[in-house]
Amino acid sequence: MVLDADSAVRVRFSDDRRDLTLERGRASFKVAKNPLRPFAVTSGTSVVVAVGTAFSVERLSREVRVALYEGHVAVLRDRGSGPSTQLARVSGGREPAEQALTPGRELILSDDTAEATLRAASIGDRPGGGQLSFASEPLTVAVQRVNRYNVGKPITVSPQAADVRVSGVFNTGDTDAFVQGVVAAFPVRAVVSEGAILLAPLRPDHTNSARNQPLPTVSQKRSALR
């Protein structure tokens, strides 16, 4: 197991089970194959069961993300009546997440919807990979992920800028580059106070017409800082 920054996992191993609970943050797992001793990771209402595989689980405020790197996993959801098979949206239809989630893909399970969504997983975007990638992410979600590595002032987002969607790749821990990228790509300003950095729109109506803009890449960011 590799833990990401600001992450916590509770471990309960017995003779017949390997149970872990991701309480916050993100962790990746390389699981030794043992069908008689299943390996399960629980986060919120989601349960990931693996026999022998490599995957990661990330917990955010309103969703859980499962990225698969090798093998296969079963993904269950427990909404109070016991675990049941998680369904994923695939090409306009639905199929069990265990079938839909193949190596190189990521499953996103939202607290707000019963069905999960799929997308390509970034190779460098895993615990220890050194990068964070954003693919049309709400600014609030991107900030949650950046703050995990932030050792300075935490970043917050005003409600008026919450729906801005960003795309880009940044080195983990490079908070200044992320803030500069957001400010450069959107009509958003960074308000620095003694306790935090607030990302707020230049005008309340500006962010409504400036969504889905790509952030500067790592190389573009370095050029801007020279």
Side-chain angles (χ1 to χ4, degrees):
M1 177 175 66
V2 177
L3 276 179
D4 207 347
D6 192 26
S7 301
V9 171
R10 184 158 35 94
V11 179
R12 298 188 303 271
F13 276 19
S14 64
D15 291 339
D16 58 354
R17 290 193 60 85
R18 295 169 288 174
D19 291 321
L20 300 93
T21 301
L22 179 64
E23 297 182 336
R24 70 174 185 272
R26 182 171 61 164
S28 65
F29 307 92
K30 183 83 171 180
V31 182
K33 184 176 292 187
N34 186 348
L36 299 180
R37 196 174 179 225
F39 184 101
V41 179
T42 301
S43 187
T45 62
S46 303
V47 182
V48 182
V49 181
V51 176
T53 188
F55 65 100
S56 68
V57 180
E58 181 174 15
R59 183 170 186 175
L60 300 167
S61 61
R62 300 292 300 170
E63 64 187 38
V64 171
R65 300 180 177 188
V66 181
L68 184 63
Y69 308 118
E70 299 174 11
H72 72 277
V73 295
V75 182
L76 311 175
R77 182 78 71 94
D78 187 350
R79 294 184 176 272
S81 57
S84 59
T85 299
Q86 174 65 52
L87 297 178
R89 293 194 294 270
V90 180
S91 302
R94 300 186 305 169
E95 64 180 57
E98 183 174 1
Q99 300 175 16
L101 184 59
T102 54
R105 306 186 84 181
E106 181 177 51
L107 189 74
I108 301 176
L109 304 99
S110 172
D111 290 348
D112 303 320
T113 58
E115 296 175 354
T117 59
L118 282 166
R119 70 178 186 186
S122 174
I123 298 299
D125 189 7
R126 67 168 79 180
Q131 291 183 332
L132 280 176
S133 63
F134 309 108
S136 191
E137 303 254 16
L139 183 58
T140 51
V141 172
V143 163
Q144 285 183 60
R145 304 184 75 205
V146 169
N147 276 337
R148 193 180 299 142
Y149 306 88
N150 189 356
V151 295
K153 296 179 179 180
I155 306 170
T156 61
V157 181
S158 72
Q160 295 85 356
D163 289 337
V164 169
R165 290 186 173 269
V166 297
S167 300
V169 180
F170 283 89
N171 294 328
T172 54
D174 201 343
T175 306
D176 290 343
F178 174 80
V179 172
Q180 291 178 23
V182 170
V183 170
F186 299 98
V188 171
R189 59 195 172 101
V191 182
V192 181
S193 66
E194 184 176 343
I197 301 172
L198 173 66
L199 296 178
L202 294 176
R203 290 208 312 264
D205 59 337
H206 269 186
T207 54
N208 292 331
S209 59
R211 301 176 184 176
N212 296 306
Q213 296 292 324
L215 290 179
T217 62
V218 173
S219 60
Q220 289 173 322
K221 173 266 300 182
R222 288 173 177 160
S223 299
L225 293 178
R226 289 196 186 105

